[in-house]
Amino acid sequence: MRKLLIPSYGLIVLLTFATKLSASVPTSYSFGIVPQQSAKKLAQAWTPVLQYLSTKTGIKLQFKTAKNIPEFEKRLADGDYDFSYM
């Protein structure tokens, strides 16, 4: 499966159109956030955003990060995230 890297404003557009797709599309996606702050701070900042988007689109977005930037980059290269914010 090919992963997408999109700017943050593009996420809203993408998720809006995703609700129009067929039932065969997954209803849950991982959303990787680059760890420029502690995981706790990132979760506090991003969880409300992802919950809002999930509510509006009906698509569950799961917050994910890594313990450090090199690990995040490895996971990104391995395709561990459906979406990512850097």
Side-chain angles (χ1 to χ4, degrees):
M1 175 184 245
R2 190 171 178 172
K3 305 299 178 181
L4 298 174
L5 298 177
I6 57 174
S8 58
Y9 61 85
L11 177 64
I12 294 170
V13 173
L14 179 67
L15 291 176
T16 300
F17 288 113
T19 61
K20 308 290 185 207
L21 298 176
S22 70
S24 65
V25 174
T27 58
S28 178
Y29 293 95
S30 61
F31 197 98
I33 308 296
V34 69
Q36 293 180 325
Q37 299 175 339
S38 72
K40 182 178 179 178
K41 281 187 177 184
L42 290 174
Q44 288 172 338
W46 280 95
T47 298
V49 174
L50 298 178
Q51 287 176 342
Y52 173 82
L53 291 171
S54 294
T55 300
K56 290 294 184 183
T57 64
I59 298 170
K60 183 179 178 190
L61 296 172
Q62 181 183 11
F63 169 83
K64 291 197 172 195
T65 192
K67 62 183 176 182
N68 55 46
I69 292 175
E71 179 64 24
F72 178 84
E73 290 173 344
K74 180 185 179 309
R75 291 178 185 180
L76 184 64
D78 290 344
D80 289 353
Y81 308 121
D82 294 308
F83 299 97
S84 61
Y85 179 84
M86 293 162 272

